[in-house]
Amino acid sequence: MPNRDDLAMFLRSKRRRLRPSDVGLPDIGPRRTPGLRRQEVAQLAGMSVDYYIRLEQARGSHPSRQVLAALARALMLTADEREYLFRLADQSPPPVASPSREISPGIRNLLDSLSETPAYVVDAKYDVLAWNTLATHFIGDLAAVPESDRNMIRWVFRLPVTAMPWTDDEAIAFTWSTVADLRAAYARYPADPGVQGLVTEMLGASPRFAQMWQAHDVESRRPLVKRIDHPSAGPLEFECQVLYIPDTSQRLITYCAAPGSPTQAAFRLLAQLGKAPAVLARPADNSAIAPRPAQVAR
């Protein structure tokens, strides 16, 4: 059943936070209360003023999905707010058409500020979108690599059976988690050709991927401890944190060393070296990217 009282309060609060200039309307005449007028919201949503007033007074009928979508656009709701609106009205929220590949200025600034912490951003299908200088020592400097070859799932499933992560139980569990997270994105973006195309490609190219995919595990990524033998810094141990970025389905992945640990000292030394060499695509063998240092995890 729809929660009419909470729906009414939510609509009122979101209407009051907006100014006419926010939605392209002229600000004409004095306003007794902040925000848009009810008739302005109704106009933007393409519905009658009387119907919208009834919704704000918790007297309206059960709003349809079309009405809710129009209200979400009129009130400039975020993805989370839109989902909340649909849930209040006892409707399933519509799927988002495509995951975003745009890096916000705030996330870009955050990446650059993490000078002693390797960090990079991936989208819903694990394309690496941005990275900081220290991350190049673990995933390579991808600036010279075609965007189509910057996908972490392709990297790992194109490795031979003798390479990591296929010889270590902890690394295999990490890969299972990645595939389960991809399945969650597959359900969230059923119309996105990038996500759908990657899954189709990997099902045809990798029996290991197909086995993991057919398990139908679905989960979001969680933190885990990784141990790697870095070719320049030696043995390292750090917590791999995967932070979800609302509205874009991007993940900020950071390698967090314990304070005062040898790994923290190693990160500082690597930071002083600047960028690692560029990672070059392998020629003609369809394996995309040479193995990264982080893939010697143990």
Side-chain angles (χ1 to χ4, degrees):
M1 293 293 293
N3 189 331
R4 292 181 177 176
D5 289 335
D6 283 352
L7 176 62
M9 287 188 290
F10 182 69
L11 291 174
R12 290 196 299 269
S13 69
K14 295 307 171 185
R15 173 174 62 82
R16 290 168 181 165
R17 72 171 184 175
L18 291 174
R19 297 171 298 179
S21 59
D22 294 331
V23 294
L25 293 176
D27 193 358
I28 301 174
R31 294 175 183 263
R32 291 178 296 177
T33 58
L36 298 179
R37 298 185 176 99
R38 290 186 177 93
Q39 57 265 36
E40 290 171 332
V41 175
Q43 173 188 341
L44 291 167
M47 64 183 62
S48 73
V49 177
D50 288 341
Y51 180 70
Y52 180 74
I53 289 175
R54 289 198 300 272
L55 287 177
E56 277 207 5
Q57 294 176 343
R59 298 188 296 111
S61 60
H62 191 177
S64 67
R65 294 173 62 85
Q66 291 78 9
V67 166
L68 295 171
L71 287 171
R73 290 192 299 269
L75 295 171
M76 301 179 67
L77 300 185
T78 67
D80 288 340
E81 290 169 340
R82 182 183 64 169
E83 179 172 348
Y84 182 67
L85 173 69
F86 273 74
R87 299 295 185 194
L88 287 177
D90 197 27
Q91 295 275 11
S92 298
V96 181
S98 295
S100 174
R101 293 180 58 86
E102 296 295 322
I103 302 294
S104 72
I107 295 299
R108 180 71 263 179
N109 292 337
L110 177 60
L111 275 178
D112 293 339
S113 70
L114 297 172
S115 59
E116 296 184 355
T117 300
Y120 50 99
V121 175
V122 300
D123 66 5
K125 67 185 181 78
Y126 283 84
D127 281 349
V128 182
L129 304 178
W131 54 92
N132 65 6
T133 299
L134 189 51
T136 64
H137 291 275
F138 297 87
I139 63 172
D141 184 3
L142 305 180
V145 175
E147 289 188 6
S148 60
D149 287 342
R150 297 178 187 174
N151 183 268
M152 296 178 67
I153 290 175
R154 287 192 182 99
W155 295 348
V156 69
F157 283 100
R158 286 173 174 172
L159 290 171
V161 294
T162 55
M164 293 300 300
W166 307 119
T167 58
D168 178 82
D169 290 341
E170 182 180 284
I172 291 173
F174 182 82
T175 305
W176 274 90
S177 178
T178 301
V179 174
D181 191 40
L182 179 65
R183 183 171 275 282
Y186 183 85
R188 182 175 176 83
Y189 300 105
D192 180 66
V195 175
Q196 305 295 313
L198 176 66
V199 171
T200 300
E201 172 194 341
M202 298 313 300
L203 285 173
S206 172
R208 292 187 193 86
F209 179 89
Q211 177 190 6
M212 294 182 180
W213 187 257
Q214 290 165 5
H216 287 269
D217 291 340
V218 180
E219 66 177 29
S220 296
R221 289 288 293 272
R222 293 172 173 81
L224 79 160
V225 174
K226 294 189 73 174
R227 300 173 182 86
I228 72 169
D229 191 1
H230 192 277
S232 300
L236 302 175
E237 179 176 312
F238 50 83
E239 184 172 271
C240 181
Q241 283 281 352
V242 183
L243 307 177
Y244 184 77
I245 303 173
D247 295 340
T248 64
S249 288
Q250 295 169 2
R251 285 102 167 126
L252 172 65
I253 300 177
T254 60
Y255 295 169
C256 303
S261 66
T263 296
Q264 184 184 56
F267 282 176
R268 287 174 177 166
L269 288 175
L270 290 173
Q272 295 172 9
L273 297 176
K275 285 187 177 182
V279 177
L280 301 178
R282 288 180 176 178
D285 65 353
N286 200 32
S287 59
I289 305 295
R292 269 78 180 154
Q295 291 170 349
V296 292
R298 60 184 184 183

